[in-house]
Amino acid sequence: MTESVSPRISTPRITVLKVQPGDPPFRLVEIDGEVVSAATSMTDVLSTAAAAGITVHDLDDPDVVRWVGGGKFTWTLH
């Protein structure tokens, strides 16, 4: 298989981990594999990315953000 026909595998710079118990519940945010913040909303994720110099145009773009344990609207424990 040549490179031109192989499937594209991307590793997004931002990973938002599953919801953790707390008051309020939060999700850890990793940038380049390092935990950099705890987020309680999508706004926190965007602020963290901006502080790291990353512009996010689409939180649903899997090449930019990987959501673990729920998508961008998951902020409470189930």
Side-chain angles (χ1 to χ4, degrees):
M1 181 181 293
T2 64
E3 231 178 274
S4 62
V5 295
S6 63
R8 182 171 176 220
I9 300 172
S10 70
T11 303
R13 294 190 63 197
I14 303 167
T15 301
V16 182
L17 301 173
K18 68 180 183 174
V19 177
Q20 301 297 311
D23 188 20
F26 63 94
R27 297 176 78 165
L28 295 175
V29 179
E30 293 181 348
I31 294 184
D32 297 330
E34 181 179 334
V35 174
V36 294
S37 73
T40 59
S41 68
M42 286 185 280
T43 304
D44 291 345
V45 174
L46 292 171
S47 296
T48 299
I54 303 169
T55 301
V56 177
H57 296 287
D58 182 0
L59 286 170
D60 292 321
D61 184 348
D63 290 335
V64 178
V65 181
R66 178 175 175 234
W67 297 92
V68 178
K72 66 183 181 184
F73 296 114
T74 304
W75 295 98
T76 58
L77 292 168
H78 297 277

Coordinates of all heavy atoms in Angstrom, one line a residue:
M1 N 0.9 -1.2 0.0 CA 0.0 0.0 0.0 C 0.9 1.2 0.0 O 1.8 1.3 0.8 CB -0.9 0.0 1.2 CG -1.8 1.2 1.3 SD -2.9 1.2 2.8 CE -3.9 -0.2 2.5
T2 N 0.6 2.1 -0.9 CA 1.4 3.4 -0.9 C 0.8 4.4 0.0 O -0.3 4.3 0.4 CB 1.4 3.9 -2.3 OG1 0.1 4.3 -2.7 CG2 2.0 2.9 -3.3
E3 N 1.6 5.4 0.3 CA 1.2 6.5 1.2 C -0.1 7.2 0.7 O -0.9 7.6 1.4 CB 2.3 7.5 1.4 CG 2.6 7.8 2.8 CD 3.7 8.7 2.9 OE1 4.9 8.3 2.9 OE2 3.5 9.9 3.0
S4 N -0.1 7.4 -0.6 CA -1.2 8.1 -1.2 C -2.6 7.4 -1.1 O -3.6 8.1 -1.1 CB -1.0 8.4 -2.7 OG -0.9 7.2 -3.4
V5 N -2.6 6.1 -0.9 CA -3.9 5.4 -0.8 C -4.1 4.9 0.7 O -5.1 4.3 0.9 CB -4.0 4.3 -1.8 CG1 -4.1 4.8 -3.2 CG2 -2.9 3.2 -1.6
S6 N -3.2 5.1 1.6 CA -3.3 4.6 2.9 C -4.3 5.5 3.7 O -4.4 6.7 3.4 CB -2.0 4.6 3.7 OG -1.5 5.9 3.8
P7 N -5.0 5.0 4.6 CA -6.0 5.8 5.4 C -5.3 6.9 6.2 O -4.2 6.7 6.7 CB -6.7 4.8 6.3 CG -5.8 3.6 6.3 CD -5.0 3.6 5.1
R8 N -5.9 8.0 6.3 CA -5.3 9.1 7.0 C -5.6 8.9 8.5 O -6.7 8.8 8.9 CB -6.0 10.4 6.6 CG -5.4 11.6 7.2 CD -6.0 12.9 6.6 NE -5.4 14.0 7.4 CZ -6.1 15.1 7.7 NH1 -7.3 15.2 7.2 NH2 -5.6 16.0 8.3
I9 N -4.5 9.0 9.2 CA -4.6 8.8 10.7 C -4.0 10.1 11.3 O -2.9 10.5 11.1 CB -3.8 7.6 11.2 CG1 -4.3 6.3 10.6 CG2 -3.8 7.6 12.7 CD1 -3.5 5.1 10.9
S10 N -4.9 10.8 12.0 CA -4.5 12.1 12.6 C -4.5 12.0 14.1 O -5.3 11.2 14.6 CB -5.3 13.2 12.1 OG -6.6 13.1 12.6
T11 N -3.7 12.7 14.7 CA -3.7 12.8 16.2 C -4.0 14.2 16.5 O -3.1 15.1 16.3 CB -2.3 12.3 16.8 OG1 -2.1 11.0 16.4 CG2 -2.4 12.4 18.3
P12 N -5.2 14.5 17.0 CA -5.5 15.9 17.3 C -4.6 16.4 18.5 O -4.2 15.6 19.4 CB -6.9 15.9 17.7 CG -7.2 14.5 18.1 CD -6.3 13.6 17.3
R13 N -4.3 17.7 18.5 CA -3.5 18.3 19.5 C -4.2 18.4 20.8 O -3.6 18.4 21.9 CB -3.0 19.7 19.1 CG -2.0 19.6 17.9 CD -1.4 20.9 17.7 NE -0.5 21.3 18.9 CZ -0.1 22.5 19.1 NH1 -0.4 23.5 18.3 NH2 0.6 22.8 20.2
I14 N -5.6 18.5 20.8 CA -6.4 18.7 21.9 C -7.2 17.4 22.2 O -7.9 16.9 21.3 CB -7.4 19.9 21.8 CG1 -6.6 21.1 21.4 CG2 -8.2 20.1 23.0 CD1 -7.4 22.3 20.9
T15 N -7.2 16.9 23.4 CA -8.0 15.8 23.9 C -8.7 16.3 25.1 O -8.1 16.8 26.1 CB -7.1 14.6 24.2 OG1 -6.4 14.2 23.1 CG2 -8.0 13.4 24.7
V16 N -10.1 16.1 25.1 CA -10.9 16.4 26.3 C -11.4 15.0 26.8 O -12.1 14.3 26.2 CB -12.1 17.3 25.9 CG1 -12.9 17.6 27.1 CG2 -11.6 18.5 25.1
L17 N -10.9 14.8 28.1 CA -11.2 13.5 28.7 C -12.6 13.4 29.3 O -13.3 14.5 29.4 CB -10.1 13.2 29.7 CG -8.7 13.2 29.2 CD1 -7.7 13.0 30.3 CD2 -8.5 12.0 28.2
K18 N -13.0 12.2 29.8 CA -14.4 12.0 30.3 C -14.6 12.9 31.5 O -13.7 13.4 32.2 CB -14.6 10.6 30.6 CG -13.8 10.1 31.8 CD -14.1 8.6 32.0 CE -13.3 8.1 33.2 NZ -13.7 6.8 33.6
V19 N -15.9 13.1 31.8 CA -16.4 13.9 32.9 C -15.9 13.3 34.2 O -16.0 12.1 34.4 CB -17.9 14.1 32.9 CG1 -18.4 14.8 34.1 CG2 -18.4 14.7 31.6
Q20 N -15.4 14.1 35.1 CA -14.9 13.7 36.4 C -15.8 14.2 37.5 O -16.4 15.3 37.3 CB -13.5 14.2 36.7 CG -12.5 13.8 35.7 CD -12.3 12.3 35.7 OE1 -12.1 11.7 36.8 NE2 -12.3 11.6 34.6
P21 N -16.0 13.5 38.6 CA -16.9 14.0 39.6 C -16.3 15.2 40.3 O -15.1 15.3 40.5 CB -17.0 12.9 40.6 CG -15.8 12.0 40.3 CD -15.5 12.2 38.9
G22 N -17.1 16.2 40.6 CA -16.6 17.4 41.3 C -17.8 18.3 41.5 O -18.9 18.0 41.0
D23 N -17.6 19.5 42.0 CA -18.7 20.4 42.2 C -18.2 21.8 41.7 O -17.5 22.5 42.4 CB -19.0 20.6 43.7 CG -20.3 21.4 43.9 OD1 -21.0 21.6 42.9 OD2 -20.5 21.9 45.0
P24 N -18.4 22.0 40.4 CA -19.1 21.3 39.4 C -18.3 20.2 38.8 O -17.0 20.2 38.9 CB -19.5 22.3 38.4 CG -18.3 23.3 38.4 CD -17.9 23.3 39.9
P25 N -18.9 19.2 38.1 CA -18.2 18.2 37.3 C -17.3 18.9 36.3 O -17.6 20.0 35.9 CB -19.3 17.4 36.6 CG -20.5 17.6 37.4 CD -20.4 19.0 37.9
F26 N -16.2 18.2 35.9 CA -15.2 18.8 35.0 C -14.6 17.8 34.1 O -14.8 16.6 34.4 CB -14.1 19.5 35.8 CG -13.3 18.6 36.6 CD1 -12.1 18.1 36.2 CD2 -13.7 18.3 37.9 CE1 -11.3 17.2 36.9 CE2 -12.9 17.4 38.7 CZ -11.8 16.9 38.2
R27 N -13.9 18.2 33.1 CA -13.2 17.4 32.2 C -11.8 17.9 32.0 O -11.6 19.1 31.9 CB -13.9 17.4 30.8 CG -15.3 16.8 30.9 CD -16.0 16.9 29.5 NE -15.6 15.8 28.7 CZ -16.2 15.5 27.6 NH1 -17.3 16.1 27.2 NH2 -15.7 14.5 26.8
L28 N -10.8 17.0 32.1 CA -9.5 17.3 31.9 C -9.2 17.6 30.5 O -9.7 16.9 29.6 CB -8.5 16.3 32.5 CG -8.6 16.1 34.0 CD1 -7.7 14.9 34.4 CD2 -8.2 17.3 34.8
V29 N -8.4 18.6 30.2 CA -8.0 18.9 28.8 C -6.5 18.7 28.6 O -5.7 19.2 29.4 CB -8.3 20.4 28.5 CG1 -7.9 20.7 27.1 CG2 -9.8 20.7 28.7
E30 N -6.2 17.9 27.6 CA -4.8 17.6 27.3 C -4.4 18.4 26.0 O -5.3 18.4 25.1 CB -4.5 16.1 27.0 CG -4.7 15.3 28.2 CD -4.4 13.8 27.9 OE1 -4.3 13.4 26.7 OE2 -4.2 13.0 28.8
I31 N -3.3 18.9 26.0 CA -2.7 19.5 24.7 C -1.4 18.8 24.5 O -0.5 18.8 25.4 CB -2.6 21.0 24.8 CG1 -4.0 21.6 24.9 CG2 -1.9 21.6 23.6 CD1 -4.1 23.1 24.9
D32 N -1.2 18.3 23.3 CA 0.0 17.5 22.9 C 0.3 16.5 24.0 O 1.5 16.3 24.3 CB 1.1 18.5 22.7 CG 0.8 19.4 21.5 OD1 0.1 19.1 20.6 OD2 1.3 20.6 21.6
G33 N -0.7 15.8 24.6 CA -0.5 14.7 25.5 C -0.2 15.1 26.9 O 0.0 14.3 27.8
E34 N -0.3 16.4 27.2 CA 0.0 16.9 28.6 C -1.3 17.5 29.1 O -1.9 18.4 28.5 CB 1.1 17.9 28.6 CG 1.4 18.5 29.9 CD 2.6 19.5 29.8 OE1 3.4 19.4 28.9 OE2 2.6 20.4 30.7
V35 N -1.7 17.1 30.3 CA -2.9 17.7 31.0 C -2.5 19.2 31.3 O -1.5 19.5 32.0 CB -3.3 16.9 32.3 CG1 -4.4 17.7 33.0 CG2 -3.7 15.5 31.9
V36 N -3.4 20.1 30.8 CA -3.1 21.5 31.0 C -4.2 22.2 31.8 O -3.9 23.3 32.3 CB -2.8 22.2 29.7 CG1 -1.5 21.7 29.0 CG2 -4.0 22.1 28.7
S37 N -5.4 21.7 31.8 CA -6.4 22.4 32.6 C -7.6 21.4 32.8 O -7.7 20.3 32.3 CB -6.9 23.6 31.8 OG -7.7 23.2 30.7
A38 N -8.5 21.9 33.7 CA -9.8 21.3 33.9 C -10.9 22.2 33.4 O -10.8 23.4 33.7 CB -10.0 21.1 35.4
A39 N -11.7 21.7 32.6 CA -12.8 22.5 31.9 C -14.2 22.1 32.4 O -14.4 20.9 32.7 CB -12.7 22.3 30.4
T40 N -15.0 23.1 32.6 CA -16.4 22.9 33.0 C -17.4 23.2 31.9 O -18.6 23.1 32.0 CB -16.8 23.6 34.2 OG1 -16.6 25.0 34.0 CG2 -15.9 23.2 35.4
S41 N -16.8 23.6 30.7 CA -17.7 24.0 29.6 C -16.8 24.0 28.3 O -15.6 24.0 28.3 CB -18.3 25.4 29.8 OG -17.3 26.4 29.8
M42 N -17.5 24.1 27.2 CA -16.9 24.3 25.9 C -16.0 25.6 25.8 O -14.9 25.6 25.3 CB -17.9 24.3 24.7 CG -18.5 23.0 24.4 SD -19.6 23.1 23.0 CE -21.1 23.8 23.7
T43 N -16.5 26.6 26.5 CA -15.8 27.9 26.5 C -14.4 27.7 27.2 O -13.4 28.2 26.7 CB -16.6 28.9 27.3 OG1 -17.9 29.1 26.6 CG2 -15.9 30.3 27.3
D44 N -14.4 26.9 28.3 CA -13.1 26.6 28.9 C -12.1 25.9 28.0 O -10.9 26.2 28.0 CB -13.3 25.8 30.2 CG -14.0 26.5 31.3 OD1 -14.1 27.7 31.3 OD2 -14.4 25.8 32.2
V45 N -12.7 25.0 27.2 CA -11.8 24.3 26.2 C -11.2 25.2 25.2 O -10.0 25.2 24.9 CB -12.6 23.1 25.5 CG1 -11.8 22.5 24.4 CG2 -13.1 22.1 26.5
L46 N -12.1 26.1 24.7 CA -11.6 27.1 23.7 C -10.6 28.1 24.3 O -9.6 28.4 23.7 CB -12.8 27.9 23.1 CG -13.8 27.1 22.3 CD1 -15.0 27.9 22.0 CD2 -13.1 26.7 21.0
S47 N -10.8 28.5 25.6 CA -9.9 29.4 26.2 C -8.5 28.7 26.5 O -7.5 29.3 26.3 CB -10.5 29.8 27.6 OG -11.6 30.6 27.4
T48 N -8.6 27.4 26.8 CA -7.3 26.7 27.0 C -6.6 26.6 25.7 O -5.4 26.7 25.7 CB -7.6 25.3 27.6 OG1 -8.3 25.5 28.9 CG2 -6.4 24.5 27.8
A49 N -7.3 26.3 24.7 CA -6.6 26.1 23.3 C -6.0 27.5 22.9 O -4.9 27.5 22.5 CB -7.7 25.7 22.3
A50 N -6.8 28.6 23.1 CA -6.2 29.9 22.8 C -5.0 30.2 23.6 O -4.0 30.8 23.0 CB -7.3 30.9 23.0
A51 N -5.0 29.9 24.8 CA -3.8 30.2 25.7 C -2.6 29.4 25.2 O -1.5 29.8 25.4 CB -4.1 29.8 27.1
A52 N -2.8 28.3 24.5 CA -1.7 27.5 24.0 C -1.4 27.8 22.6 O -0.6 27.2 21.9 CB -2.1 26.0 24.1
G53 N -2.1 28.9 22.1 CA -1.8 29.3 20.7 C -2.5 28.5 19.6 O -2.1 28.6 18.5
I54 N -3.5 27.8 20.0 CA -4.3 27.0 19.0 C -5.6 27.6 18.8 O -6.4 27.9 19.7 CB -4.5 25.5 19.6 CG1 -3.2 24.9 19.9 CG2 -5.3 24.7 18.6 CD1 -3.3 23.6 20.7
T55 N -5.9 27.9 17.5 CA -7.2 28.4 17.1 C -8.1 27.3 16.7 O -7.7 26.5 15.9 CB -7.1 29.4 15.9 OG1 -6.2 30.5 16.3 CG2 -8.4 30.0 15.5
V56 N -9.3 27.2 17.4 CA -10.2 26.1 17.1 C -11.4 26.8 16.4 O -12.1 27.6 16.9 CB -10.7 25.4 18.4 CG1 -11.7 24.4 18.0 CG2 -9.5 24.8 19.1
H57 N -11.6 26.3 15.1 CA -12.8 26.8 14.3 C -14.0 25.9 14.5 O -15.1 26.4 14.3 CB -12.4 27.0 12.9 CG -11.3 28.0 12.7 ND1 -11.6 29.4 12.8 CD2 -10.0 27.9 12.3 CE1 -10.5 30.1 12.5 NE2 -9.5 29.2 12.3
D58 N -13.7 24.7 14.8 CA -14.8 23.7 14.8 C -14.5 22.6 15.9 O -13.6 21.8 15.7 CB -15.0 23.0 13.4 CG -16.1 22.0 13.3 OD1 -16.8 21.8 14.3 OD2 -16.3 21.5 12.2
L59 N -15.3 22.7 17.0 CA -15.1 21.7 18.0 C -15.5 20.3 17.6 O -15.2 19.3 18.3 CB -15.9 22.1 19.3 CG -15.3 23.3 20.1 CD1 -16.3 23.7 21.1 CD2 -14.0 22.9 20.7
D60 N -16.1 20.1 16.5 CA -16.5 18.8 16.0 C -15.5 18.2 15.0 O -15.7 17.1 14.6 CB -17.9 18.9 15.3 CG -19.0 19.2 16.3 OD1 -19.0 18.6 17.4 OD2 -19.9 19.9 15.9
D61 N -14.5 18.9 14.7 CA -13.4 18.5 13.8 C -12.5 17.5 14.5 O -11.7 17.9 15.4 CB -12.6 19.6 13.2 CG -11.6 19.2 12.2 OD1 -11.4 18.0 12.0 OD2 -11.1 20.1 11.5
P62 N -12.6 16.2 14.1 CA -11.8 15.2 14.8 C -10.3 15.4 14.6 O -9.4 14.8 15.3 CB -12.3 13.8 14.3 CG -12.9 14.2 13.0 CD -13.4 15.6 13.1
D63 N -9.9 16.2 13.6 CA -8.5 16.4 13.4 C -7.9 17.5 14.4 O -6.7 17.7 14.5 CB -8.2 16.9 12.0 CG -8.4 15.8 10.9 OD1 -8.2 14.6 11.3 OD2 -8.7 16.1 9.8
V64 N -8.9 18.2 15.1 CA -8.5 19.3 16.0 C -8.7 18.9 17.4 O -7.9 19.1 18.3 CB -9.3 20.5 15.7 CG1 -9.0 21.7 16.6 CG2 -9.0 21.0 14.2
V65 N -9.9 18.3 17.7 CA -10.3 17.9 19.1 C -10.7 16.5 19.2 O -11.6 16.1 18.3 CB -11.4 18.8 19.6 CG1 -11.7 18.5 21.1 CG2 -11.0 20.3 19.5
R66 N -10.2 15.7 20.1 CA -10.7 14.4 20.4 C -11.5 14.4 21.7 O -11.0 14.9 22.7 CB -9.6 13.4 20.5 CG -10.0 12.0 20.8 CD -8.9 11.0 20.8 NE -9.3 9.7 21.2 CZ -8.8 9.0 22.2 NH1 -7.8 9.5 22.9 NH2 -9.3 7.9 22.5
W67 N -12.8 14.0 21.7 CA -13.6 14.0 22.8 C -13.7 12.6 23.3 O -14.1 11.7 22.6 CB -15.0 14.5 22.5 CG -15.0 15.9 22.0 CD1 -14.9 16.4 20.8 CD2 -15.1 17.1 22.9 NE1 -15.0 17.8 20.8 CE2 -15.1 18.2 22.0 CE3 -15.3 17.3 24.2 CZ2 -15.2 19.5 22.5 CZ3 -15.4 18.6 24.7 CH2 -15.3 19.7 23.9
V68 N -13.4 12.3 24.6 CA -13.4 11.0 25.2 C -14.5 10.9 26.2 O -14.6 11.8 27.1 CB -12.0 10.7 25.9 CG1 -12.0 9.3 26.5 CG2 -10.9 10.8 24.9
G69 N -15.3 9.9 26.1 CA -16.4 9.8 27.1 C -17.6 10.7 26.9 O -18.2 11.1 27.9
G70 N -17.8 11.2 25.7 CA -18.9 12.1 25.4 C -18.4 13.2 24.6 O -17.2 13.6 24.6
G71 N -19.4 13.8 23.9 CA -19.0 14.9 23.0 C -19.0 16.3 23.7 O -19.0 16.4 25.0
K72 N -19.0 17.3 22.9 CA -18.9 18.7 23.4 C -20.0 19.1 24.3 O -19.9 20.1 25.1 CB -18.7 19.7 22.3 CG -19.9 19.8 21.4 CD -19.6 20.7 20.2 CE -20.8 20.9 19.3 NZ -20.5 21.7 18.2
F73 N -21.2 18.4 24.3 CA -22.3 18.8 25.1 C -22.4 18.0 26.4 O -23.3 18.1 27.2 CB -23.6 18.6 24.4 CG -23.7 19.6 23.2 CD1 -23.7 19.1 21.9 CD2 -23.8 21.0 23.4 CE1 -23.8 20.0 20.8 CE2 -23.8 21.8 22.3 CZ -23.9 21.3 21.0
T74 N -21.4 17.1 26.6 CA -21.4 16.2 27.8 C -20.6 16.8 28.9 O -19.3 16.8 28.9 CB -20.8 14.8 27.5 OG1 -21.6 14.3 26.4 CG2 -20.9 13.9 28.7
W75 N -21.2 17.4 30.0 CA -20.5 18.0 31.1 C -21.0 17.6 32.4 O -20.7 18.2 33.4 CB -20.6 19.6 30.9 CG -19.9 20.0 29.7 CD1 -20.5 20.2 28.5 CD2 -18.5 20.2 29.5 NE1 -19.5 20.6 27.6 CE2 -18.3 20.5 28.2 CE3 -17.4 20.0 30.4 CZ2 -17.0 20.8 27.7 CZ3 -16.2 20.3 29.9 CH2 -16.0 20.6 28.6
T76 N -21.9 16.6 32.5 CA -22.4 16.0 33.7 C -22.2 14.5 33.7 O -22.1 13.9 32.7 CB -23.8 16.3 34.0 OG1 -24.6 15.8 32.9 CG2 -24.1 17.8 34.1
L77 N -22.1 13.9 34.9 CA -21.9 12.5 35.1 C -23.3 11.8 34.8 O -24.3 12.4 35.2 CB -21.5 12.1 36.5 CG -20.0 12.5 36.8 CD1 -19.8 12.4 38.3 CD2 -19.1 11.7 36.0
H78 N -23.3 10.7 34.2 CA -24.5 9.9 33.9 C -24.7 8.8 34.9 O -23.8 8.1 35.3 CB -24.5 9.5 32.5 CG -24.5 10.6 31.5 ND1 -25.7 11.3 31.2 CD2 -23.5 11.2 30.9 CE1 -25.3 12.2 30.3 NE2 -24.0 12.2 30.1

